[in-house]
Amino acid sequence: MLAIHALLTPIPRRRITIPKLTPFILSPSKSFGLISFHLRRRSHRVITSMAGSGPVSTPEHVTEKWFSVPELRLRNHRFSVPLDYSKPSPRITVFAREIVAVGKEEQSLPYLLYLQGGPGFEGPRPSEAGGWIQRACEEFRVILLDQRGTGLSTPLTSSSMLQFKSASDLADYLAHFRADNIVNDAEFIRVRLVPNADPWTILGQSFGGFCALTYLSFAPQGLKQVLITGGIPPIGKSCTADDVYDAGFEQVVRQNEKYYKRFPEDVEIVRELVNYLAESEGGGVPLPSGGILTPHGLQTLGLSGLGSSTGFERLHYMLERVWDPILVPGSPKRISHFFLNTFETWHSFDTNPLYALLHEAIYCEGASSRWSAHKLREKVECKFDAIRAAKEGQNVLFTGEMIFPWMFDEIHALKPFKAAADLLAKKEDWPPLYDPATLKTNKVPVAAAVYYEDMYVNFKLVMETASQISGIRLWVTNEYMHSGLRDAGRQILDHLLGMINGKKPLF
């Protein structure tokens, strides 16, 4: 079906005068040492209800025209926000896409903000109605946010970051791209987009769920309801990365066991591949982009292959085509271009380098990570030494959602940012991301889907955090993996909404 592009005739806007809300500013709380979100009253201004209105343009907010995909109407919003909310400049652009079901453009609907997983990945780009978006549009006006630094929100790419003259300048800049400022951006948008600056519902997937807890900690007045899928972080320590990876390696071992039980023929394929890489000149083979594939680089395929619903199959099909056929007798054995190219596209480091740069920083509050995954791996290296396992006839284990310092030597897109990554790993003055005291007295309804065998978000750590959030309702299931919202979005969102709106039993 062809998309139909049409213009809506603007309708008169409802004008409501309320005290001006300046951006939410992050500043240390003198009494608790926590970051607080503050509203300052300066003057009065007019906030215009956006529902059903035509394009709007102000220095802070530009709204574009509606366009269509099958069964949905969409329009884009661009906001000019401070890079650092304690300073008026410099400013960056944050992009959000508004979506409604066809025919509901002018209806007064509650708002739902979607917070994407990551860190460092943009919001979805729907081409038609389907999944959780279609379900949400039955009762909400959906906002898909490109979190700062991603998509169309002043993107930090492997090329744009080359503009920084030093690693320290880049590291200082990147320090503003964690959950605290993502929540600042969300509040900046809410008071300018939602009629009367009313609170909205948020849906946080994976890292988006981490952002949801930051939101609950420091700006609960902006929230009507909170829905979380596979994304409850550990809290209560200055750096929880060590706890995450300590538990994470145990779960990764179990996922490897399941994988090889399902595809036992891959045991020998992976051993042979590891031996080939180890015996190659330089300890690996060149990748198409200019990096190098080594045995421990090969193990990182577990990041995508072991934790999602179709990951086992995708990894297996990739290994099926690891070798080029011998077309001319006597020709040397070679890894196929298909395999090498697929390896690079799996990780998306070339398009979304923020994931690697900030992955451990999302666990830090007043302490440094100091390459936590690398440090914890040394404790279990007897299990994850790929070369030794291959030579001794053991299973070569893939690793999980972990970033290691040597990636910035071996992956071409990450090489220019090695020094900045090291500075971020050593940074100690990270501001707080959660307020356990506020979470214990939480009044906002929260419903969360917890996946029992989630490789990315450890079940035990999730339950420890959930016990500290007042009023949270959990749906614990092993029917879905971490990718549940993508795989069965309508069912999962419907279940969570039923829980939070009283349509599901309490127990």
Side-chain angles (χ1 to χ4, degrees):
M1 181 183 296
L2 296 176
I4 301 173
H5 295 263
L7 301 179
L8 295 179
T9 304
I11 64 172
R13 303 177 192 160
R14 182 162 51 93
R15 301 170 69 85
I16 306 161
T17 303
I18 68 172
K20 180 177 180 178
L21 303 179
T22 63
F24 284 79
I25 301 172
L26 287 172
S27 61
S29 167
K30 294 180 181 178
S31 57
F32 299 102
L34 298 173
I35 291 178
S36 303
F37 289 73
H38 300 288
L39 278 174
R40 295 180 181 174
R41 295 172 182 254
R42 292 183 180 174
S43 59
H44 288 76
R45 71 182 176 99
V46 173
I47 289 186
T48 304
S49 171
M50 294 298 303
S53 67
V56 172
S57 181
T58 71
E60 292 181 337
H61 178 198
V62 174
T63 305
E64 299 177 6
K65 298 176 182 179
W66 290 101
F67 65 97
S68 298
V69 300
E71 299 184 52
L72 299 175
R73 294 280 283 165
L74 310 88
R75 64 175 171 182
N76 302 333
H77 299 268
R78 300 172 196 270
F79 300 87
S80 175
V81 308
L83 171 68
D84 180 345
Y85 274 83
S86 67
K87 303 173 184 178
S89 63
R91 301 182 79 84
I92 60 174
T93 296
V94 170
F95 173 87
R97 180 167 281 128
E98 178 182 2
I99 305 178
V100 295
V102 170
K104 294 187 176 182
E105 297 90 335
E106 299 180 14
Q107 291 186 18
S108 178
L109 298 168
Y111 281 68
L112 182 146
L113 172 71
Y114 177 66
L115 296 172
Q116 170 72 27
F121 286 87
E122 61 273 19
R125 265 46 181 178
S127 57
E128 61 183 359
W132 73 263
I133 290 178
Q134 185 177 38
R135 171 63 183 89
C137 285
E138 291 175 4
E139 56 187 278
F140 291 101
R141 191 174 291 271
V142 176
I143 305 298
L144 301 179
L145 175 68
D146 280 356
Q147 296 166 12
R148 54 170 48 202
T150 73
L152 295 175
S153 293
T154 309
L156 294 176
T157 65
S158 55
S159 55
S160 69
M161 288 190 292
L162 295 175
Q163 298 172 31
F164 289 92
K165 299 185 183 300
S166 69
S168 60
D169 288 346
L170 175 57
D172 289 344
Y173 193 86
L174 290 172
H176 299 290
F177 287 78
R178 299 196 310 157
D180 46 8
N181 281 307
I182 292 171
V183 171
N184 269 338
D185 294 340
E187 280 294 272
F188 186 100
I189 292 170
R190 181 183 65 84
V191 300
R192 288 160 178 79
L193 186 61
V194 181
N196 307 320
D198 286 339
W200 54 11
T201 296
I202 62 173
L203 169 61
Q205 157 66 16
S206 190
F207 171 68
F210 290 26
C211 295
L213 258 63
T214 301
Y215 216 145
L216 278 170
S217 294
F218 300 120
Q221 71 281 354
L223 300 174
K224 180 180 180 182
Q225 299 171 324
V226 174
L227 310 173
I228 297 173
T229 57
I232 297 180
I235 63 174
K237 294 184 180 179
S238 56
C239 178
T240 57
D242 286 359
D243 294 326
V244 168
Y245 297 121
D246 193 29
F249 277 111
E250 294 178 9
Q251 181 64 29
V252 168
V253 171
R254 289 193 289 270
Q255 290 299 108
N256 273 278
E257 291 171 351
K258 293 176 186 176
Y259 177 79
Y260 284 127
K261 185 176 181 180
R262 184 163 184 181
F263 296 110
E265 62 270 36
D266 290 351
V267 170
E268 186 56 39
I269 292 176
V270 176
R271 286 181 194 154
E272 185 180 12
L273 181 53
V274 167
N275 287 328
Y276 180 91
L277 293 171
E279 294 166 5
S280 298
E281 183 178 357
V285 300
L287 289 164
S289 69
I292 183 172
L293 176 61
T294 63
H296 58 203
L298 175 71
Q299 289 175 284
T300 64
L301 286 173
L303 193 162
S304 296
L306 297 184
S308 62
S309 61
T310 59
F312 281 17
E313 290 79 11
R314 292 171 58 230
L315 179 56
H316 173 67
Y317 295 146
M318 182 179 174
L319 290 170
E320 281 185 332
R321 298 180 60 183
V322 66
W323 302 112
D324 270 337
I326 301 298
L327 304 179
V328 178
S331 296
K333 192 170 190 175
R334 294 186 59 175
I335 299 175
S336 70
H337 179 81
F338 167 85
F339 182 86
L340 296 174
N341 185 66
T342 304
F343 173 85
E344 291 197 301
T345 57
W346 260 42
H347 290 325
S348 302
F349 291 131
D350 56 339
T351 56
N352 298 83
L354 276 186
Y355 177 84
L357 285 161
L358 291 179
H359 192 265
E360 291 196 353
I362 67 175
Y363 298 108
C364 297
E365 301 180 81
S368 58
S369 72
R370 297 194 175 276
W371 294 113
S372 178
H374 185 69
K375 177 176 56 182
L376 269 292
R377 176 172 174 160
E378 291 178 350
K379 293 174 56 178
V380 293
E381 189 59 22
C382 59
K383 296 181 179 179
F384 284 88
D385 186 332
I387 295 176
R388 190 177 76 174
K391 288 183 177 179
E392 295 180 355
Q394 304 297 318
N395 289 356
V396 175
L397 301 185
F398 297 101
T399 51
E401 191 180 32
M402 299 144 186
I403 300 297
F404 303 102
W406 46 259
M407 290 179 169
F408 291 83
D409 293 314
E410 298 181 5
I411 298 173
H412 179 74
L414 298 180
K415 285 182 179 180
F417 315 119
K418 178 181 179 180
D422 195 53
L423 289 173
L424 291 169
K426 295 175 180 176
K427 180 178 171 64
E428 295 184 347
D429 58 340
W430 292 108
L433 294 171
Y434 313 108
D435 184 350
T438 298
L439 294 174
K440 285 181 181 179
T441 58
N442 170 59
K443 304 297 183 185
V444 179
V446 183
V450 178
Y451 307 126
Y452 184 74
E453 297 181 290
D454 196 328
M455 190 186 76
Y456 303 101
V457 183
N458 180 264
F459 178 75
K460 179 181 177 181
L461 298 179
V462 166
M463 299 306 288
E464 289 177 359
T465 297
S467 69
Q468 303 177 60
I469 305 172
S470 178
I472 190 171
R473 295 192 58 201
L474 301 181
W475 171 32
V476 179
T477 176
N478 65 355
E479 185 177 357
Y480 305 104
M481 297 185 72
H482 190 75
S483 56
L485 190 64
R486 181 184 67 217
D487 303 328
R490 167 172 280 277
Q491 296 92 317
I492 287 176
L493 181 57
D494 193 64
H495 192 104
L496 291 177
L497 288 172
M499 291 170 62
I500 214 163
N501 295 325
K503 295 181 181 179
K504 297 289 181 180
L506 291 177
F507 302 103

